[in-house]
Amino acid sequence: GIYINKDWLVQVSGCRILANGGSGVCVINNVYPPAQYVQNYITITKNYCAANSIAGIRFVGFYTGGTALKPVYGPSAPQQIGCIISDNTCYLNSQYGIAFQGGWSTISGNVCTRNGTTTAHAGMLCNAWNTTVSGNTVYDSSYFGIDGGGSSACVFTGNTIS
């Protein structure tokens, strides 16, 4: 799909991203130890991401420790801040519809349907700090509707999960 690495002020909007071997939209900086604040103010909006092998939208890289082969995730060292993921449709992706790890961001108005193939995945993952998750609709996920584990100072409001 679309791969973004160590960029600022990027917008991905109005794309149809289907059946990729990875994620539909992937924002990640694969380095260890992780660098903080290297990809900020990225907007992902009004995209259709379906049948991708990993996630519809994968916005990750939030480590607090561990090793390169076995990182420990948590909210103390975000690689990204000030991001917006809104009004996307994520359907039938193998892991998450949307996976987000970061801080000071907004995830709103997305529709995630039939995502995940194992008991470890969800319609949405929000492993974040000081982030608002609102007005999303999540249907028919393999396990969780919205997984907010590991989050701190976040607001989850007005979401519909079935």
Side-chain angles (χ1 to χ4, degrees), residues 3 34 36 38 44 56 93 97 100 102 110 119 139 147 150 156:
Y3 178 79
Q36 285 185 286
V38 293
I44 301 171
N93 297 286
F100 177 76
N110 300 287
T119 58
Y139 290 110
D147 179 357
F156 293 83

Side-chain angles (χ1 to χ4, degrees), residues 65-157:
T67 66
L69 295 177
K70 192 170 183 174
V72 175
Y73 298 102
S76 66
Q79 289 191 350
Q80 48 267 342
I81 61 169
C83 300
I84 298 169
I85 301 173
S86 70
D87 304 314
N88 299 287
T89 299
C90 297
Y91 173 74
L92 204 61
N93 297 286
S94 292
Q95 291 182 5
Y96 294 101
I98 297 170
F100 177 76
Q101 298 172 315
W104 299 283
S105 296
T106 301
I107 302 169
S108 66
N110 300 287
V111 177
C112 296
T113 306
R114 297 188 66 203
N115 294 288
T117 56
T118 69
T119 58
H121 299 107
M124 295 176 68
L125 167 71
C126 179
N127 178 232
W129 190 72
N130 199 23
T131 291
T132 300
V133 180
S134 66
N136 298 289
T137 302
V138 181
Y139 290 110
D140 215 8
S141 299
S142 68
Y143 199 62
F144 297 106
I146 298 175
D147 179 357
S151 293
S152 177
C154 290
V155 175
F156 293 83
T157 185

